[in-house]
Amino acid sequence: MDTLTDIAVQKAEQSRLPEVDLDNPGFGKVFTDHMLEMEYKNGEWKQPVIKPYGPIQITPALSTLHYGQSVFEGTKAYYIDGKTVNLFRPEKNYERMANSCERLCIPKIDRETFLEGIRKLVKLDHKWVPEKDGNSLYIRPFACAWDTQVAAKVSDTYRFYIILSPVGSYYDAPVRLITSQNYVRAVEGGFGEAKTAGNYAASFYPARKAQQMGFSQVLWLDAFDHEYVEEVGTMNIFFLIDDVLITPPLGGTILPGVTRDSVLKLARSWDMDVEERKIGMTEVMEAARSGKLQEVFGAGTAAVISPVKEIRHHGELITIHEDGRGPVGQKLYDTIYGIQRGKLEDRFNWTHSIEVA
């Protein structure tokens, strides 16, 4: 591949935008007019191309379908005005994807190709960025094995794609969580810290059981003691106990969330007491009983800051928030979303502005 800005563009003949209600797009259901595609073969990534969004032709022997060698990312673009769209910390998504590729034996995509591909694709499809407050353009880069051989081995060929989807809110109400004693999301030495398809596939069955019981998601615990909190299926988790903000530490079993990192940096800049440490459900339940558990919320790209209303553990149900976010969660949401939408000062230089007009 030549210079990293060499991204060929094949424009769609007609836009599908008039068919879409950007005020009510759902989540991940509709996609923009274009996508980026890049092929890896003969030991190198080839020139990327932006082309009309559409089906991909594959064979039944595609190695990804059989062995799950696939990684992905999720970030967003935010409407500022008719001239500008903001990205939020996409370089952190690149770092995580590079680590995921390493863990799954997928050749790393070049950093500038990743970032410039997002910028150029968003600029081309900028009219798809919703203006409605709370909505955004979800950006999904992903890479997967492309060999057409049914053999349990590392693939020799790959494809990298970026697709875009206008989205609304992921959660419309405070979430209800339940712990699981029978299932685990990840173990030390596995690939819990990689954003790979298999992690999510493994979580679907216990998540469905939780939903059948009236809960939103599973609050995952460690694989050995089933005691220490790890994360929720779609977000990292935070507890405010006696004015101390606590979240489980990264250690190979937890996804290093971009929003998680943003929450930690903001909280510390506000001189809050912050701890990244192991926290057991015994401690959480006792804090709830004593009145010291002030807030619980999840943090993630899709959900931003989602308040946790209830947690059920060993048959005991605790209620944290009856309605909406607590004061700390609300301040974090307002600050992060305000920075993303260009309404607040970006002291950390997190946003990347794309001039679209």
Side-chain angles (χ1 to χ4, degrees), residues 161-225:
Y161 291 92
I162 305 174
I163 57 177
L164 310 176
S165 175
V167 297
S169 299
Y170 196 83
Y171 290 118
D172 295 325
V175 299
R176 303 178 69 237
L177 304 177
I178 184 171
T179 61
S180 174
Q181 298 298 308
N182 300 317
Y183 305 96
V184 298
R185 176 189 172 273
V187 296
E188 293 182 12
F191 45 53
E193 65 182 350
K195 200 167 178 67
T196 178
N199 282 341
Y200 293 81
S203 72
F204 287 161
Y205 179 72
R208 184 173 67 178
K209 290 174 71 70
Q211 291 158 8
Q212 289 170 345
M213 297 172 66
F215 294 89
S216 312
Q217 279 283 345
V218 174
L219 177 58
W220 295 107
L221 306 179
D222 73 283
F224 299 102
D225 299 316

Side-chain angles (χ1 to χ4, degrees), residues 12-218:
E13 293 183 1
Q14 185 172 352
S15 175
R16 293 175 286 103
L17 184 56
E19 306 167 9
V20 178
D21 180 4
L22 289 182
D23 287 343
N24 299 285
F27 199 98
K29 297 180 179 180
V30 295
F31 299 92
T32 68
D33 292 322
H34 300 89
M35 64 183 185
L36 182 142
E37 180 183 57
M38 185 167 65
E39 183 180 12
Y40 181 93
K41 64 179 182 180
N42 299 326
E44 65 176 359
W45 287 104
K46 305 301 180 180
Q47 183 186 30
V49 59
I50 291 175
K51 59 197 291 188
Y53 177 89
I56 301 169
Q57 186 174 5
I58 63 173
T59 77
L62 190 72
S63 55
T64 290
L65 301 179
H66 298 271
Y67 304 109
Q69 203 183 349
S70 173
V71 299
F72 66 95
E73 268 305 321
T75 185
K76 286 180 176 179
Y78 301 86
Y79 180 86
I80 305 302
D81 52 40
K83 299 179 180 179
T84 308
V85 170
N86 270 359
L87 303 178
F88 185 72
R89 308 190 72 184
E91 72 285 350
K92 294 293 291 182
N93 294 97
Y94 171 76
E95 291 171 9
R96 188 169 62 183
M97 187 162 191
N99 291 334
S100 296
C101 284
E102 177 73 20
R103 184 62 179 85
L104 272 292
C105 296
I106 297 174
K108 292 180 183 179
I109 294 92
D110 180 84
R111 183 179 188 274
E112 274 308 305
T113 301
F114 180 94
L115 296 175
E116 181 62 20
I118 290 176
R119 286 191 291 259
K120 199 161 188 174
L121 189 58
V122 170
K123 186 170 185 176
L124 181 61
D125 281 350
H126 72 272
K127 292 182 179 180
W128 287 79
V129 182
E131 297 182 25
K132 181 181 176 181
D133 192 49
N135 292 5
S136 56
L137 185 70
Y138 187 76
I139 303 167
R140 169 55 61 89
F142 63 99
C144 54
W146 213 256
D147 277 5
T148 56
Q149 178 183 0
V150 180
K153 71 175 189 67
V154 173
S155 181
D156 293 318
T157 57
Y158 298 87
R159 293 286 177 90
F160 172 65
Y161 291 92
I162 305 174
I163 57 177
L164 310 176
S165 175
V167 297
S169 299
Y170 196 83
Y171 290 118
D172 295 325
V175 299
R176 303 178 69 237
L177 304 177
I178 184 171
T179 61
S180 174
Q181 298 298 308
N182 300 317
Y183 305 96
V184 298
R185 176 189 172 273
V187 296
E188 293 182 12
F191 45 53
E193 65 182 350
K195 200 167 178 67
T196 178
N199 282 341
Y200 293 81
S203 72
F204 287 161
Y205 179 72
R208 184 173 67 178
K209 290 174 71 70
Q211 291 158 8
Q212 289 170 345
M213 297 172 66
F215 294 89
S216 312
Q217 279 283 345
V218 174

